[in-house]
Amino acid sequence: MAVDTRFYASLGALTLESAAALTGAEPVGDPNTPITGIAAADKAKPGELAFLEGEGAGLTSLSPDLSVLLVSEAIRRRVADGVALLVVKQPRHAHNVIARTLFKPRHQLAQTRVAISPDAKIHPGAELGAGVVVGAGAAIGEGTVICPNAVIGPGVQIGRNGFIGAGTSIHCALLGDHVTLLAGARIGEAGFGVTPGPSGLEDAPHFGRVILQDHVTIGANTCIDRGVFADTIVGERTKIDNLCQIAHNVVLGRSVIMAAFGGISGSVRIGDGSMLGGQVGIADHVNVGAGVSLAGAAGVLRDVPDGETWGGTPAKPIRQWMREVAWLAKQTSAKKRD
């Protein structure tokens, strides 16, 4: 997916040669190869740059349209001919440097002193409370209520009959109709992407979006991070409680229920109609099927098939978990009698 310029300002383009000079990488290929965008290695289009880390996981799924690939010396010879390369010790760090040279989130650019941008499109039937800020290019639909001190970032689109609670902030996001955000929700901030650099740990930039489909409800002080390259998506009629964390690139299906204090790590997939109890935690890249129930405080470390009920940490099928809890209680009681 190309970077959405409603949310990210283009700062110009690079060539293979200039990108090499910027990062200290060794260029391989035509020095005039243009770099105009960034993407995941399996989704890149012409002109887009991607990276591979480690031992080259992902080499077999490279996009055939990829223009430039950042790699380490260890895997450069395993890349097929025809792909321009930037060979560098820390490919992800170099990618971060180039990405920040190409794009900048519009909400991080200097803003005017006007609270409501003249370039915003606000339906006459929408209601805005005191202290609301609306950025350039944002759109707010008919019947939507924006409560005091909410911040609607540049380019954000909000559909009809929504409710945006007091003190909420929304960046890099598209909201459908009848979406409810309770007070203090944070939508579209960067996720917890950390990468090593020459001087220590660095924050990895995020250039994706958040998409909240129709009739979604997000609880007070819940945070939903935007994606790295792709989108974080919350499906129709999904209901998320207060004080939850949803990381970058997560996809929730339709009519998912998530109780308070839950945490979902990056790139998790959750199927339609699943129910997550309070304090559920899910590790990154896990797939949870449709119609799944997760007991309160479950710690999910592996994929869960459709329709199953799991509990415990590490989570497992509920009957197995209950048998193990009962056995442990029995052993403890026996020890006390001894």
Side-chain angles (χ1 to χ4, degrees):
M1 185 194 78
V3 173
D4 192 331
T5 54
R6 287 175 295 185
F7 306 122
Y8 304 98
S10 175
L11 304 179
L14 295 171
T15 63
L16 184 72
E17 184 177 44
S18 61
L22 184 67
T23 59
E26 175 192 348
V28 178
D30 182 354
N32 295 315
T33 302
I35 301 174
T36 58
I38 54 175
D42 61 339
K43 299 288 195 306
K45 301 292 188 296
E48 291 183 333
L49 168 82
F51 71 93
L52 289 179
E53 289 187 295
E55 297 301 315
L59 273 171
T60 59
S61 59
L62 290 179
S63 166
D65 297 323
L66 177 68
S67 290
V68 180
L69 185 66
L70 277 156
V71 295
S72 64
E73 181 67 39
I75 63 172
R76 64 182 296 178
R77 291 178 178 82
R78 295 168 57 195
V79 181
D81 294 339
V83 178
L85 301 178
L86 289 167
V87 184
V88 66
K89 184 177 180 180
Q90 295 177 310
R92 185 161 187 175
H93 163 72
H95 187 272
N96 293 349
V97 172
I98 294 171
R100 288 191 170 99
T101 303
L102 295 174
F103 298 101
K104 188 175 183 67
R106 291 188 183 276
H107 65 274
Q108 295 179 4
L109 297 171
Q111 302 296 310
T112 67
R113 296 180 181 273
V114 179
I116 309 297
S117 170
D119 296 326
K121 298 179 181 178
I122 303 172
H123 192 280
E127 299 179 32
L128 274 60
V132 168
V133 175
V134 183
I140 300 172
E142 181 180 9
T144 289
V145 175
I146 313 291
C147 292
N149 299 319
V151 176
I152 313 302
V156 168
Q157 311 289 296
I158 302 175
R160 298 185 297 271
N161 300 312
F163 178 86
I164 309 301
T168 296
S169 63
I170 310 173
H171 299 297
C172 307
L174 308 174
L175 281 61
D177 297 336
H178 303 278
V179 170
T180 297
L181 307 181
L182 299 185
R186 306 294 176 205
I187 309 300
E189 296 290 351
F192 190 56
V194 178
T195 184
S199 301
L201 295 179
E202 302 174 344
D203 294 321
H206 289 59
F207 294 99
R209 308 175 299 187
V210 172
I211 297 177
L212 306 182
Q213 297 181 355
D214 295 349
H215 296 279
V216 162
T217 297
I218 307 297
N221 295 316
T222 282
C223 299
I224 303 180
D225 299 336
R226 65 183 185 266
V228 178
F229 303 117
D231 297 325
T232 302
I233 301 173
V234 180
E236 292 178 1
R237 296 187 182 276
T238 285
K239 308 299 180 182
I240 299 172
D241 201 355
N242 303 333
L243 295 164
C244 292
Q245 163 65 27
I246 298 175
H248 57 269
N249 295 87
V250 168
V251 176
L252 302 183
R254 298 177 176 87
S255 299
V256 173
I257 295 175
M258 182 177 179
F261 299 109
I264 303 179
S265 301
S267 301
V268 166
R269 300 290 184 269
I270 298 179
D272 296 347
S274 289
M275 296 185 290
L276 284 61
Q279 294 185 305
V280 163
I282 304 178
D284 59 293
H285 294 275
V286 165
N287 292 316
V288 175
V292 166
S293 294
L294 300 177
V300 183
L301 306 181
R302 56 192 175 98
D303 293 354
V304 182
D306 291 350
E308 296 199 1
T309 300
W310 284 30
T313 301
K316 57 196 69 175
I318 195 75
R319 291 185 181 277
Q320 178 185 348
W321 174 57
M322 293 175 70
R323 285 196 302 268
E324 291 176 1
V325 170
W327 179 88
L328 183 60
K330 184 177 179 180
Q331 299 305 309
T332 302
S333 297
K335 288 289 184 181
K336 287 181 179 178
R337 288 195 298 271
D338 294 344

